[in-house]
């Protein structure tokens, strides 16, 4: 055992004690790369790890062995690690979420009969859901996560969250989707298209019919027919969906899970990270660590040069001009560094620094295992 | 190219992957247009909320509001667009309120994918036509659309064609043709793409650019390569500095500094070196992506500088607008 008086690295702590790591944050902050780096390190250290990614860069995907879209975990070949001079003690498995296939599996699972499942899968409205309805991808990511965890095959699962407009969206996704399936407004409007109809419903139908005439004109009658069919086929499956959504929520709230918020030091993503931390807290979801990516490095405390002196330097020959340019450059970067620090100080008032890990800009892109392991070194640094 | 020629189409659609600074570039374009005497409307789609932040607070709603002199902003929300459509088209203002009820727009846009996009484009069409319509918002000379992320771009712009194929007759058919005409007429609209010099955004930009030309026949404007580390210092200069240090001639620099009255200590020198090296490395990472971008697209690539800031504020957008204006003149 290492003595515990040194700072405990929050990421290391999570990887050692948790079964699920959810990486969340706004778009463009390096969520996917971070998830891959955490998974890689956990596997190198001897765990059997699955990394579930949503939308990886092509070169990262191919280094993970995900050239073809696959919704089932596949093991990354050991040779890939040795050729990057990494010693792999565990196993790294990777998969890329396929929203449509996952949804099909859900439908098949909850349908009372294979025939009913088939009717739903063939329905046009259903086929549109996975590609157009917002929240579906998030919901299916959680579903896939639950399934992987329940399978019990992996020591730890690291998941990257979809690039939503706003990082909070995916927390609401399961509820939004069950609401969507259950809304009574919808069934009221579709009543004329549904088979059965009691007396009370017929009264409601007069208003609904006027309304539907307009809708029909806009989107077409056959489309409405499809929609009505879809919802009538879905009857009796709601309880299954809801039950599962409850189980997923319970898993996310359990001690097995840890949320890692990924941010950059930019004002926008820092604000988003702050909101996100508050939302996790409200929802009773376990926050584990904050990863601050893409921080500009700080060298020194800033050179003290007045504009007048700079002007003078520029007149002092080649060396003077070179020095003036170097100073210009340094001042520009120090300006960014100070602004970033200001944003991060505000963040520190909401999330204590001992839960932070900073990852500075590295000298190469993380597109292969070599690059990922450099990031992992920073992530797990004590 | 003259700036006026660049701004000629009334509708400027700006798209790019999330996190590349799409809204910032759209705002800078709006400022450029405003500087050239145009009355500009900036349309954000589906409550993104970055637009008001850029212009210093206040909500942006479905009703256009002046954000800064000459620049107006509105947020196009599909629910509102549908309500407006029903009111104008079918005089159904009362019943259209029901459309705003939870999920209703979700249902019909899932039933007819593309309808959401049509509603948004329809609103843009209204804005474009507005000089002839009484009431409503005042007529705009330029409409800058902060469009959906590039991945969704082709679907977004293809929506009218899709609807025209699905609905063979009637008013909806006619209207979707109007929208398609609006998008494919280079005198009326132009699409600008924004990217970073990084792998994912460049790949997506190349794909979108190809789809726009091939599948849609839509006129493309420029590709803006955002946040390029500018040349405050060339690689050669950074190397020269490293050589001076390696040759043990650093004292010569101290001497020059002293002559100018600048006090430099070892830490300062290290900082100068650190940032010179950092700049070189970052540019080295960006360069191949930029090259790939230039090689892969036919339209002009306009490099926009990394702003050495860490937030979004009007002065930054003004700076970008300066650069855009300058680059457009030299195209």
């Amino acid at each position: 055992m290492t003595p515990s008086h040194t700072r405990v690295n929050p990421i290391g702590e999570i990887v050692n004690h948790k079964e699920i790591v959810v990486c969340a944050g706004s778009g463009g902050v390096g969520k996917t790369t971070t998830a891959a780096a955490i998974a890689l390190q956990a596997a190198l250290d001897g765990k059997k790890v699955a990394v579930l990614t949503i939308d990886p860069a092509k070169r990262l995907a191919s280094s993970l062995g995900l050239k073809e879209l696959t919704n089932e975990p596949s093991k990354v070949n050991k040779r890939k690690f040795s050729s990057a001079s990494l010693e792999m003690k565990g196993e790294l498995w990777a998969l890329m979420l396929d929203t449509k296939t996952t949804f099909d599996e859900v439908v098949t699972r909850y349908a009372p009969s294979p025939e009913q499942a088939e009717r739903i899968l063939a329905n046009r409205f259903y086929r549109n859901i996975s590609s157009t309805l917002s929240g579906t991808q998030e919901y299916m990511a959680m579903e896939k996560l639950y399934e992987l965890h329940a399978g019990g095959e992996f020591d730890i699962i690291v998941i990257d969250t979809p690039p939503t407009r706003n990082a909070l969206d995916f927390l609401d996704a399961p509820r939004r989707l069950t609401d969507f399936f259950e809304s009574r407004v919808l069934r009221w409007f579709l009543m004329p298209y549904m088979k059965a109809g009691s007396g009370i419903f017929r009264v409601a139908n007069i208003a609904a019919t006027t309304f539907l005439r307009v809708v029909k004109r806009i989107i077409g009658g056959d489309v409405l027919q499809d929609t009505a069919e879809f919802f009538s086929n879905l009857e009796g499956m709601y309880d299954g969906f809801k039950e599962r959504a409850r189980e997923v929520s319970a898993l996310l709230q359990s001690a097995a899970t840890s949320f890692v918020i990924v941010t950059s030091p930019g004002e926008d993503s820092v604000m988003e990270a702050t909101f996100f931390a508050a939302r996790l807290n409200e929802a009773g979801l376990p926050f584990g660590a904050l990863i601050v990516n893409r921080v500009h490095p700080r060298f020194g405390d800033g050179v003290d040069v007045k504009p007048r002196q700079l002007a003078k330097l520029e007149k002092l020959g080649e060396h003077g001009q070179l020095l003036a340019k170097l100073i210009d450059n340094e001042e520009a970067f120090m300006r960014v560094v100070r602004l970033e620090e200001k944003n991060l100080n505000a963040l520190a008032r909401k999330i204590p620094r001992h839960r932070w890990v900073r990852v500075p800009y590295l000298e190469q892109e993380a597109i292969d295992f070599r690059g990922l392991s450099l990031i992992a070194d920073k992530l797990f640094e004590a | 190219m003259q700036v006026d020629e660049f701004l000629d189409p009334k509708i400027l659609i700006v798209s790019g992957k999330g996190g590349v600074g799409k809204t910032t570039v759209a705002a800078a374009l709006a400022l450029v247009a405003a500087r050239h005497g145009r009355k500009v409307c900036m349309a954000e789609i589906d409550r993104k909320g970055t637009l008001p932040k850029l212009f210093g607070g206040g909500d942006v709603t479905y009703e256009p509001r002046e954000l800064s002199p000459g620049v107006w902003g509105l947020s196009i929300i599909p629910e509102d667009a549908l309500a407006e459509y029903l009111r104008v088209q079918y005089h159904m203002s009362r019943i259209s309120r029901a459309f705003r009820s939870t999920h209703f727009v979700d249902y019909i846009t899932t039933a007819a994918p593309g309808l959401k996009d049509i509603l948004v484009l329809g609103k843009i069409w209204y804005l474009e036509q507005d000089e002839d319509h009484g009431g409503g918002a005042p007529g705009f000379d330029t409409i800058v659309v902060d469009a959906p992320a590039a991945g969704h771009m082709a679907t977004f712009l293809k929506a009218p064609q899709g609807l025209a194929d699905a609905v063979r007759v009637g008013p909806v058919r006619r209207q979707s043709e109007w929208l398609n005409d609006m998008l494919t007429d280079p005198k009326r609209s132009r699409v600008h793409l924004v990217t970073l010099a990084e792998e994912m955004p460049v790949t997506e930009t190349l794909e979108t650019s190809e789809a726009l030309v091939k599948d849609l026949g839509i006129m493309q404007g420029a590709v803006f390569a955002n946040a390029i580390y500018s040349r405050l210092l060339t690689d050669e200069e950074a190397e020269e500095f490293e050589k001076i240090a390696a040759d043990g001639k650093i004292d010569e620099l101290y001497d020059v500094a002293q002559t100018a009255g600048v006090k430099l200590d070892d830490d300062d020198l290290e900082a100068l070196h650190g940032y010179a090296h950092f700049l070189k490395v970052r540019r080295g990472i960006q360069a191949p992506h930029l090259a790939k971008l230039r090689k892969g697209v036919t339209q002009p690539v306009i490099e926009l500088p990394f702003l050495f800031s860490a937030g979004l504020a009007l002065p930054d957008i003004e700076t970008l607008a300066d650069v855009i204006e300058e680059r457009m003149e030299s195209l």
Side-chain angles (χ1 to χ4, degrees), chain B residues 10 12-14 26-27 29-30 40-44 142-146:
Chain B
K10 194 164 175 176
L12 305 177
I13 299 168
V14 183
L29 273 173
V40 187
C41 179
M42 244 197 103
E44 78 169 7
T142 300
I143 300 156
V144 179
V145 184
D146 183 3

Side-chain angles (χ1 to χ4, degrees), chain A residues 335, chain B residues 24-25 27-29 31-32 35 226 230 303-309 313-327:
Chain A
R335 205 158 60 232
Chain B
T24 322
V25 173
L29 273 173
L31 284 188
V32 172
R35 286 177 186 177
N226 199 14
S230 56
E303 287 181 29
L304 297 177
F306 175 76
L307 286 177
F308 292 100
S309 101
L314 202 50
D316 292 333
I317 302 170
E318 298 272 5
T319 310
L320 284 183
D322 293 343
V323 178
I324 291 174
E325 242 179 308
E326 191 186 304
R327 301 277 153 91

Side-chain angles (χ1 to χ4, degrees), chain A residues 57-59 128 180 183 186 189 211 214 223 267 294 296-297 299 309 319 325 329 336 343 361 363 365, chain B residues 46 92 95 99 103-104 107 110-111 113 198-200 207 229 237 252 261 271 275 277 282 289 308 310-311:
Chain A
K58 280 200 176 106
R59 280 194 285 173
N128 293 338
F180 175 85
S183 165
L186 174 87
F189 283 126
F211 197 72
V214 175
V223 174
E267 195 181 344
R294 301 178 172 225
H296 279 89
F299 301 113
Q309 298 169 322
H319 278 14
K325 281 186 175 173
N329 184 56
V336 191
N343 294 340
Y361 272 111
E363 297 213 351
E365 286 174 288
Chain B
D46 220 1
M92 292 179 75
I95 208 159
F99 273 95
H103 292 307
F104 202 85
Y107 294 127
T110 302
E198 288 174 17
E199 182 184 357
M200 288 273 294
E207 285 166 6
Y229 283 95
E237 284 159 347
E252 292 177 19
Y275 285 121
H277 181 71
R282 296 309 302 167
H289 297 300
F308 292 100

